[in-house]
């Protein structure tokens, strides 16, 4: 009997091993293989409530598809977004071009989808219509408004185009609407923002209040990026869920699921050229040149 008992125990152990291997082996992914927690980061600016409501529908969809806890973490300016990206606190980032370039160059985030938007975005320097200034050089020794560090159209592109000038001062605005208010009141001589933001925000003022003094080179739209801390298998499930999302949800979240991510290599190179100027932008006067 003892021999049969030993044989039975041996078979039982073998059966348990087979069951265990099946549970952890190849085949369709189980819930345990999915990300337990996913944090989505985005910049919400001043249209927060309506923007967040749209992302919340996408958040619910992603949580159901991945059987994961999905958190939405909006911030209201680029400075805070850059901090979160550099610390890799966000699993997934919906980033405009400037933030996307920083996420790729400084934090090894991987772009997976392009954001919705004009394929050729530009930064514009705006002045009052009655301003005497006609060219960039005329802005020497004037006070200008730029966006927060991290914004391609509000910060990096205008700094690149203003290289070589000495400005009286630079003030930093959190929104394009605020920049236009400062220009209209005379607080600043000119201000930088995206061309799209200018067209949207100028409607709050009389039609002939502003004009564009200068437009920058064109840059690609932003991107959806994934953190280097997200497991490769989890990344695959995440991308698949985002590709298969209903069109109304992808439109709400503002990304294109069936297109390759944008090529931001030239923008990354431009940001790297502007970086050495950053210690000077808060000085008065702000000397936007390199060297002693």
């Amino acid at each position: 009997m003892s021999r049969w008992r030993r044989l039975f125990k041996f078979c039982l152990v073998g059966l348990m091993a087979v069951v265990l291997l099946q549970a952890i082996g190849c085949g369709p992914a189980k819930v345990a293989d999915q990300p337990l927690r996913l944090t989505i980061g985005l910049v919400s600016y001043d249209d927060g409530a309506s923007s967040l409501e749209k992302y919340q529908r996408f958040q619910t969809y992603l949580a159901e598809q991945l059987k994961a806890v999905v958190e939405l973490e909006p911030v209201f300016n680029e400075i805070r977004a850059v901090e979160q990206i550099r610390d890799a606190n966000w699993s997934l980032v919906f980033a405009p071009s400037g933030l996307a370039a920083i996420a790729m160059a400084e934090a090894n985030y991987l772009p997976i989808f392009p954001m919705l938007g004009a394929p050729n975005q530009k930064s514009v320097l705006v002045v009052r219509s009655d301003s005497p200034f006609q060219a960039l050089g005329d802005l020497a020794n004037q006070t200008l408004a730029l966006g927060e560090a991290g914004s391609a159209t509000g910060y990096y592109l205008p700094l690149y185009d203003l290289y070589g000038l000495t400005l009286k001062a630079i003030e930093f605005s959190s929104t394009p609407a605020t920049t236009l208010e400062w220009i209209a009141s005379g607080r600043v001589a000119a201000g930088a923002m995206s061309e799209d933001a200018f067209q949207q925000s100028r409607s709050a003022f009389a039609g002939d209040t502003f004009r564009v003094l200068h437009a920058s080179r064109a840059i690609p739209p932003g991107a959806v990026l994934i953190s280097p801390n997200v497991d490769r298998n989890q990344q695959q499930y995440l991308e698949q869920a985002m590709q298969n999302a209903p069109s109304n949800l992808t439109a709400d979240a503002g990304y294109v699921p069936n297109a390759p991510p944008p090529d931001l290599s030239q923008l990354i190179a431009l940001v790297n050229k502007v970086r050495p100027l950053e210690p000077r932008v808060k000085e008065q006067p702000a000397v936007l040149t390199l060297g002693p």
Side-chain angles (χ1 to χ4, degrees):
M1 290 292 292
S2 61
R3 190 176 70 176
W4 287 109
R5 286 176 182 170
R6 287 196 298 270
L7 181 60
F8 175 78
K9 289 181 180 179
F10 178 81
C11 292
L12 183 61
V13 170
L15 180 61
M16 292 175 63
V18 169
V19 171
L20 181 61
L21 287 173
Q22 287 179 339
I24 65 174
C26 299
K30 304 295 187 296
V31 173
D33 295 324
Q34 306 299 334
L36 296 177
R37 187 172 297 275
L38 191 70
T39 304
I40 300 175
L42 64 141
V43 182
S44 186
Y45 300 110
D46 55 353
D47 60 345
S50 60
S51 174
L52 290 182
E53 183 180 347
K54 293 181 178 181
Y55 275 100
Q56 283 166 355
R57 292 192 285 268
F58 173 76
Q59 173 191 11
T60 300
Y61 164 81
L62 213 56
E64 293 173 349
Q65 293 297 308
L66 300 178
K67 296 180 173 58
V69 176
V70 179
E71 297 176 332
L72 194 63
E73 186 174 306
V75 295
F76 300 97
N77 61 65
E78 283 89 353
I79 292 177
R80 181 58 178 156
V82 169
E83 292 173 353
Q84 293 295 84
I85 287 170
R86 285 175 175 161
D87 292 340
N89 289 333
W90 287 343
S91 313
L92 195 69
V93 187
F94 288 80
S97 302
L99 285 179
I102 290 173
M104 293 171 63
E106 300 185 16
N108 295 318
Y109 275 73
L110 177 69
I112 53 177
F113 299 110
M115 295 289 287
L116 287 172
N120 296 306
Q121 301 181 75
K122 291 184 179 180
S123 169
V124 291
L125 278 163
V126 178
V127 297
R128 284 173 49 133
S129 293
D130 59 3
S131 168
F133 306 126
Q134 299 297 324
L136 283 179
D138 298 336
L139 297 177
N141 302 312
Q142 301 296 319
T143 299
L144 269 61
L146 298 184
E148 304 284 2
S151 168
T153 52
Y155 185 82
Y156 295 116
L157 285 168
L159 275 181
Y160 183 84
D161 290 343
L162 292 166
Y163 180 82
L165 291 183
T166 296
L167 304 176
K168 179 180 179 180
I170 295 175
E171 298 197 25
F172 297 93
S173 167
S174 58
T175 68
T178 299
T179 299
L180 291 182
E181 290 173 4
W182 290 355
I183 298 169
S185 68
R187 175 172 170 172
V188 298
M193 65 195 72
S194 74
E195 189 173 34
D196 287 348
F198 173 55
Q199 296 302 334
Q200 294 169 10
S201 301
R202 69 186 301 183
S203 61
F205 301 83
D208 59 350
T209 304
F210 309 105
R211 62 181 169 85
V212 173
L213 176 73
H214 172 79
S216 74
R217 66 177 64 188
I219 59 171
V224 183
L225 305 103
I226 193 165
S227 168
N229 294 338
V230 175
D231 178 81
R232 287 288 184 182
N233 290 331
Q234 295 174 350
Q235 178 184 328
Q236 180 182 352
Y237 306 141
L238 175 60
E239 288 190 51
Q240 185 175 1
M242 292 183 68
Q243 286 174 342
N244 295 336
S247 58
N248 63 322
L249 291 185
T250 62
D252 281 351
Y255 72 96
V256 184
N258 55 354
D263 180 3
L264 296 176
S265 57
Q266 292 187 6
L267 180 58
I268 291 172
L270 184 147
V271 170
N272 289 336
K273 289 180 181 178
V274 168
R275 282 290 195 200
L277 291 177
E278 289 192 290
R280 304 194 171 195
V281 297
K282 294 184 179 180
E283 296 176 350
Q284 295 186 19
V287 182
L288 301 181
T289 56
L290 301 177

